């Protein structure tokens, strides 16, 4: 980006990612066809819906912010005015691919308007185009080519050359040429227009707003010049700056019970170029595993119900299968039937337990009838040494082989 472009488009660092604003951040294809659009050929936008609202505000932000910085302002508009709000991102801003120029920014604004009318199926007469500073230039040009409910301009300028002349004089014609010439487009605007320009604006004098107002040929227009408003004043900080003029100029709020049609594909993050860049970074950092199906090598060992994988895909958890109404120490789910088997020690002991366990895959806890031996401890108490299986061994006894061995050993003794 050249020095002049960096002055005209002071792009801030992105304030959001493709994972921000769930169910609100969407992607708009330049061709409005999700089935044929390619990755990176989409414009990110934030769509804030308002239940049963009639009007939709298409907001075009200034050159020093992205849609992430406009999010709270859009929320305020939706809450106070009860309107839908669509925040449109510019190429080169936020996570939108591309470079900044008058034509690329206008292409994004025009695409967003057609998206509202053709994809969301919002009538053009219910769309209010709203632009601030540089966004006001895009709004004027867009309103000169389409029909909509109205146009709102905040701190507009007659042309970029005239705006820069206030700082560099005659060099303006050499530096910025004839770009963003709003005085030419505003003459073609045929919709109601509301202009708001603060008297304390030191970046773009209020005379520019007055000039835009005078050049508009439409009969219904209003110029508001708040005395305490600067170029970057919060428009929601006082009702007289924006809210009251909008309520006076437009019929807000109004209602429509037909829901807007938002296609599910609009929220597909794979349309974002950064999604694929992130995946490539992950691949370079650590190769992703690709399942090979039956051809994939995998170490196995024979288990009670067939081979059990040792390296990956372990048996899934069946949840907490403990029966809290019994006195069982352990419970084991039979892998074949999904049945819960109770410890055999609480059903029967001795030879009965040994007979019942033959030919059945159960978990058996052995209660030995042999006397236990005790060793005196240092403090005079006796430590009991158990003959049964080690603690925790019973839960590993899937096929009952350990229990049968211990029972047979006990019978021999």
């Amino acid at each position: 980006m050249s020095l002049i472009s960096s002055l005209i488009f002071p792009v801030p660092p992105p304030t959001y990612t493709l994972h921000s604003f769930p169910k609100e951040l969407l992607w708009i294809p330049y061709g409005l066809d999700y089935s044929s659009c390619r990755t990176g050929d989409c414009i990110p936008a934030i769509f804030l819906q308002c239940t049963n609202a009639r009007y939709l505000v298409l907001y075009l932000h200034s050159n020093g912010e992205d849609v992430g910085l406009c999010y709270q302002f859009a929320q305020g508009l939706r809450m106070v005015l009860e309107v839908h709000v669509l925040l449109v991102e510019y190429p080169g801003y936020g996570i939108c691919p591309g470079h900044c120029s008058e034509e690329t920014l206008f292409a994004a604004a025009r695409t967003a308007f057609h998206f509202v009318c053709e994809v969301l199926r919002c009538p053009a007469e219910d769309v209010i185009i709203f632009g601030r500073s540089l966004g006001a230039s895009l709004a004027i040009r867009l309103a000169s080519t389409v029909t909509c409910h109205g146009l709102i301009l905040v701190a507009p300028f007659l042309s970029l050359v005239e705006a820069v002349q206030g700082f560099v004089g005659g060099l303006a014609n050499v530096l910025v040429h004839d770009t963003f010439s709003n005085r030419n487009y505003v003459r073609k605007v045929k919709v109601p227009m509301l202009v708001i320009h603060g008297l304390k604006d030191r970046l773009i004098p209020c005379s520019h707003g007055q000039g835009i107002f005078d050049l508009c040929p439409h009969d219904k227009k209003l110029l508001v010049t708040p005395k305490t408003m600067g170029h970057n004043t919060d428009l929601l900080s006082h009702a007289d700056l924006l809210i009251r003029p909008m309520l006076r100029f437009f019929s807000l709020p109004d209602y429509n019970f037909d829901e807007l049609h938002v296609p599910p594909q609009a929220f597909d993050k794979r349309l974002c170029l950064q999604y694929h860049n992130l995946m490539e970074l992950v691949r370079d950092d650590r190769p992703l595993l690709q399942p090979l199906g039956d051809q994939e090598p995998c170490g196995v060992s024979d288990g009670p119900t067939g081979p059990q994988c040792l390296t990956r895909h372990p048996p899934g958890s069946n949840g907490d299968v403990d029966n809290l109404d019994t006195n069982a120490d352990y419970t084991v789910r039979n892998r074949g039937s999904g049945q819960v088997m109770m410890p055999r020690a609480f059903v029967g002991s001795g030879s009965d337990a040994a007979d019942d366990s033959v030919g059945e895959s159960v978990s058996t806890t052995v209660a030995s009838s042999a006397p236990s031996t005790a060793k005196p401890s240092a403090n005079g108490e006796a430590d009991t040494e158990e003959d049964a299986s080690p603690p925790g061994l019973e839960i590993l006894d899937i096929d009952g082989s350990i229990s049968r061995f211990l029972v047979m050993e006990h019978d021999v003794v």
Side-chain angles (χ1 to χ4, degrees):
M1 183 180 291
S2 64
L3 176 61
I4 302 303
S5 296
S6 63
L7 294 177
I8 301 174
F9 307 106
V11 181
T15 61
Y16 64 101
T17 69
L18 69 150
H19 302 294
S20 305
F21 315 115
K23 300 302 181 181
E24 294 174 340
L25 179 63
L26 50 78
W27 281 264
I28 304 174
Y30 280 99
L32 303 182
D33 185 3
Y34 286 97
S35 61
S36 62
C37 70
R38 297 179 299 176
T39 300
D41 289 344
C42 296
I43 307 164
I46 297 177
F47 184 41
L48 302 180
Q49 297 189 64
C50 182
T51 305
N52 298 330
R54 173 187 173 184
Y55 295 109
L56 185 148
V57 173
L58 178 66
Y59 184 74
L60 303 170
H61 61 77
S62 64
N63 63 341
E65 56 189 357
D66 60 13
V67 294
L69 293 174
C70 305
Y71 183 75
Q72 289 187 348
F73 172 71
Q75 283 185 314
L77 286 182
R78 177 179 62 175
M79 179 182 65
V80 177
L81 301 177
E82 298 186 50
V83 293
H84 307 290
V85 182
L86 181 66
L87 304 175
V88 184
E89 192 59 284
Y90 302 151
Y93 282 74
I95 60 175
C96 185
H99 65 280
C100 306
S101 70
E102 180 181 6
E103 295 305 319
T104 58
L105 267 62
F106 177 69
R110 180 179 54 195
T111 301
F113 180 84
H114 290 295
F115 172 79
V116 168
C117 299
E118 300 176 23
V119 179
L120 299 184
R121 301 174 187 172
C122 178
E125 56 269 18
D126 292 342
V127 179
I128 300 175
I129 302 175
F130 188 157
R132 181 170 187 173
S133 189
L134 186 71
S137 179
L138 301 174
I140 293 172
R141 183 174 175 181
L142 181 60
S144 68
T145 60
V146 299
T147 301
C148 60
H149 184 74
L151 174 65
I152 302 175
L153 306 175
V154 176
F157 49 83
L158 287 166
S159 69
L160 191 59
V161 171
E162 295 174 76
V164 175
Q165 278 180 348
F167 299 94
V168 298
L171 288 176
N173 292 315
V174 179
L175 295 177
V176 297
H177 305 290
D178 188 19
T179 56
F180 295 103
S181 183
N182 297 331
R183 63 165 58 249
N184 296 331
Y185 292 112
V186 73
R187 292 187 173 98
K188 303 176 184 178
V189 172
K190 296 180 174 60
V191 297
M193 185 182 69
L194 169 64
V195 180
I196 302 175
H197 209 134
L199 293 177
K200 288 190 174 181
D201 193 332
R202 297 182 180 179
L203 184 63
I204 301 175
C206 187
S207 58
H208 285 254
Q210 180 68 55
I212 292 293
F213 176 82
D214 295 337
L215 290 173
C216 180
H218 200 274
D219 295 334
K220 185 178 179 181
K221 55 185 179 179
L222 176 65
L223 174 64
V224 180
T225 56
K227 296 181 180 180
T228 60
M229 177 179 167
H231 189 74
N232 295 313
T233 299
D234 182 4
L235 296 176
L236 300 180
S237 60
H238 196 282
D240 289 334
L241 300 181
L242 175 67
I243 300 302
R244 189 167 286 125
M246 285 188 66
L247 293 175
R248 184 173 59 175
F249 193 72
F250 299 106
S251 301
L252 297 174
D254 201 355
Y255 304 97
N256 187 347
F257 298 98
D258 296 329
E259 294 185 2
L260 298 180
H261 175 71
V262 184
Q265 304 94 318
F267 300 102
D268 189 353
K269 293 181 175 60
R270 291 174 295 181
L271 296 175
C272 179
L273 189 62
Q274 288 190 357
Y275 176 87
H276 299 273
N277 293 341
L278 177 63
M279 295 303 295
E280 291 300 323
L281 289 175
V282 174
R283 288 177 185 272
D284 294 339
D285 183 52
R286 192 175 201 179
L288 301 177
L289 297 176
Q290 296 182 355
L292 301 177
D294 294 337
Q295 299 178 359
E296 186 174 8
C298 181
V300 298
S301 66
D302 291 335
T305 59
Q308 301 295 317
C309 178
L310 296 180
T311 57
R312 63 177 74 164
H313 309 304
S317 173
N318 290 318
D320 188 2
V321 298
D322 293 339
N323 188 345
L324 300 180
D325 295 331
T326 65
N327 295 323
D329 289 338
Y330 301 100
T331 58
V332 176
R333 184 184 296 274
N334 186 299
R335 296 192 181 209
S337 63
Q339 204 175 12
V340 176
M341 296 298 180
M342 302 305 302
R344 186 70 64 178
F346 297 100
V347 179
S349 60
S351 59
D352 294 338
D355 294 338
D356 293 341
S357 64
V358 178
E360 188 178 2
S361 177
V362 297
S363 176
T364 306
T365 302
V366 178
S368 174
S369 60
S372 61
T373 59
K375 297 180 181 179
S377 61
N379 57 8
E381 298 179 355
D383 293 333
T384 302
E385 183 177 321
E386 297 181 357
D387 300 313
S389 57
L393 188 60
E394 296 84 349
I395 199 170
L396 302 177
D397 191 13
I398 301 299
D399 58 353
S401 59
I402 298 176
S403 301
R404 288 196 296 272
F405 172 77
L406 294 176
V407 169
M408 288 187 294
E409 183 182 22
H410 172 64
D411 292 342
V412 172
V413 176

